Every structure is written in structure tokens, then in C-alpha cells.
Amino acid sequence: MPIAAKGSHAAMVKYYEASYEATAAVANERLSLQADSGNIVEGVKEALGTRYAGVWFDNESGHWQIGELPGTSLSQVQPYLTAHNISDSAVELVPVQSSVEELLAAQVRINERLMAYLVAGEVSTGIYEPNNAVIVRVSTALPADSVSEVHVLANSAGSAFVGSNAAPVAIEMRAAEPSEVDLQPVDTTCANHFNVFEEEVPQVVFCNRPLRGGVTIWDNNSVCSLGFIVTNGPEEFIMTAGHCLAKDKEGWFSAFANFNESKPETWGGIGEERYRYRGELGDFGTINLLSGSGVHSPWFPDDNPSTVADLHPGGGGGEDYLENIAWSAVGDITCRTGGSSDTQCGEVLSTANTEYVGGVLTGYLTEDTACAIEGDSGGTVFGNHSGLGMLDAINVPCGHLGAKDYYTEAVRDAVYSGVEFYVPW
């Protein structure tokens, strides 16, 4: 599948060149491999079942790597590789000792034993498939005796056997800045938002029909950003962050191209919230494009492909189309569009993170090196025409060293709500 030569792909190539000292040709080749691989995480997981031990992209070699437990062979995933024209030379098996299922089970035990530290925003956990390990991040603000206790509790939980053939899992202890384990959601109030109500807002050209992922939405009080459009049969939804919707506000709006703050007719009602969740399963929700009273929103029905407004600073522009919903893999190069900071690109660092976010213990967050600022919550995370998730939180904002953002996988939204979502294409 060829990928667009402009817009976010150009930003991804630029990011790849700078991060890996690669030529544009090498960057394009490796990003094309990621794009052509589709939802490889789901494909490999289905092929290996309980023996699934992770899949990640090694940006140093330009290869996909698959965790290899005893008895795992390339032939088991060959049907998926063949269907996506992925050559055997682009895939490596890496011997590991634990399945992802075992890593997640160990993480649950670690979280239980470290709960007091987790809810205090002093510790966070995650999964790092390339090292086949559970990450335990420990705030550098903790006193030495507390750090020692965290180490003892985490290692004892990781060593606990969960079956007759189970082996202890690897635990990777990391010292972390306090901001890395006590995250902040990135919604804001209209009064504090610096972009929405300016006379000329560059992004509103994307706000006439159809709705684009990443544009600003608000409920006359709070400002967030739009995820991408999904369908469930005849119903159409917008995905966003759960904490944006968890304020008992039902009506959400976006702007038409002739937006004027003082003219409500230029404020387009999107619809009412349908699902919302924020907690140990993630942070996600949906807005129904058809209101509960049966009154159509100005954008319903949206008979167009799901698109993301590509607002990469310094050029690009246009739109990115989405073809499917996919799981993220460590090493993926992704982009994220939000109404405040436009389009930013980065690399997935870890998955299944449990973090303290704005006073709520929030689980299953994916960490990457993109950045965000207030008003970006709910914005679309995507890569190579796959919708990956919705932005939830940051440690430090754009413009500061070490900025990262955290998002909930879009697939988890479907898992939680019990609705089988599809990207319209």
C-alpha cells in the first residue's frame, strides 16, 4: 500500500531521519514496511495465542521482531506475513522467557502490592516487550527507604509463580522524574484556552463537513480534541478521551469554517456522549453523531472516509485518511493531532502503562515521544493510515525537554463498551 508523500508522512520521515540518522530513502522504506504490515500485533497474537510474547519494530535494523517462546516458529505467523507481503528477511524471532499474558499477570500483582505508591503518584508500571519485562518507574522524589520497599515488593510480586510451569518474569526498575509517574490530563477550560476563540484559527478550515480527527471540540466550558470517526452498523461515533466526557456534559460542539464566537449558528453541535470510562482499563469515550432525541447533528451522516486534520507545524497540511483500527507496537512511528498543538510525531516507547493521571489511577496507557499541551486531550493518535488511539495525558508539555504523551488504544474502547467499531472507509 503506497503511503502519502506529504502531510504527516513527511513529518514522520523527518522525525525518523533525525532520530536514527537515516537517509530519506531508508526512512521511507522502514515506514512503508510499518504501513504495509497493517494490524500486525493483532495478527501475530491471533496466530500464537497464549504463546504470544510480543511484537515490536526495531528501528536500528529496520525489522519486525517477534518474541519467541520454546515451540514458536516463523511458520505459525507465515499466513499473516504472506497476506501482507512481509518477507521473512524483514522479521526476526527473539528468544524470550515470558508470554505477554504472563507479563500482564505479573504487572497486576505488582500493581496490587504497590497500590499505595501508585495512587500517590510516586510509582508507575508498564510493559516493555523488547526486554520481555515489566517496567516499574520509581519517582526520584521518594526517600531511600521507600525506594527499597518498592524494589522488594515489586520483585516479590514478579517472582510469584502463577502455574506449575510458570517462570518468574523480568522486572526492569527505572528511576523516573516525578512528572513521569504523576501525569496530567490535557483538557482545559475555555477561559484558559489560547487558540479556540481567536479571530482567525488556521484549523477551522478543516471543520466543515466531514468532521476531522484532531480538531477542537468544546461543551461551552471545557476544551478537548476530537478522535477519529468510527461506525457501528448505521450508527456513527466520534472517539475522544473519557475524562473529557466525565463532567456530566452531554452536548459537544465543533466549528464550521465561518466560525464566530458570538454567532452560535456557526457552532455545530456534534451530539451527545454515548460511552465514557476513566480508570484502570483506560481513558476513553464516544460521542454519538445522532443525538438521543433523534435530531441529526449537522455532520450526520458522515459518508466520507475517517480522516485526520494534518496540521503539522511548518508545512504539510491536508488530511490523512484512516483505513483501520490497529494496536500500537513498541518502535512504531506515530503522529498525534490535537486542536492546540497541531500535529506532532514520535515513537512508541512502552505499552499497558498504569499511571496516576490527574488524581485517577489510569491503566493500559501507551507511551510515546510525541508531545502535547492543554486542549489536546482526546486528539487522534495515528500512523500509516491506522487509527491507534486517543490522547489522554502528558508528563511535560511541548517545548520542554523530555516531553512525552500517553494514549488509550482505540481497540480498548471497543473492548470496554462491547461495541464492534469500524473505521468508515
Side-chain angles (χ1 to χ4, degrees), residues 13-29:
V13 169
K14 184 177 180 180
Y15 175 88
Y16 205 102
E17 290 179 272
S19 299
Y20 294 99
E21 298 182 351
T23 64
V26 168
N28 270 293
E29 178 184 355

Side-chain angles (χ1 to χ4, degrees), residues 9 35 81 96 100 146 162 169 262 266 283 296 299 328 335 341 351 363:
H9 180 64
L81 302 180
V96 297
V100 167
S146 295
V162 293
V169 304
S262 63
T266 66
D283 179 2
H296 291 180
W299 287 282
S328 305
C335 288
S341 64
T351 59

Side-chain angles (χ1 to χ4, degrees), residues 241-259:
H243 69 261
C244 292
L245 303 180
K247 299 181 175 69
D248 298 320
K249 307 283 187 180
E250 293 191 342
W252 283 85
F253 303 85
S254 193
F256 293 121
N258 61 340
F259 171 73

Side-chain angles (χ1 to χ4, degrees), residues 29-107:
E29 178 184 355
R30 293 179 179 178
L31 291 172
S32 292
L33 174 58
Q34 290 185 12
D36 294 342
S37 300
N39 192 0
I40 190 171
V41 173
E42 185 73 16
V44 173
K45 185 175 181 180
E46 287 183 355
L48 300 180
T50 58
R51 304 193 67 72
Y52 172 69
V55 56
W56 58 95
F57 193 82
D58 180 10
N59 285 295
E60 297 294 342
S61 67
H63 295 159
W64 284 109
Q65 298 188 324
I66 298 173
E68 178 189 14
L69 291 171
T72 300
S73 70
L74 200 59
S75 64
Q76 292 169 284
V77 297
Q78 195 65 57
Y80 186 88
L81 302 180
T82 300
H84 290 77
N85 297 312
I86 304 171
S87 69
D88 291 354
S89 62
V91 180
E92 300 173 7
L93 294 181
V94 178
V96 297
Q97 71 176 23
S98 303
S99 68
V100 167
E101 186 176 286
E102 290 168 336
L103 292 175
L104 290 170
Q107 184 189 19

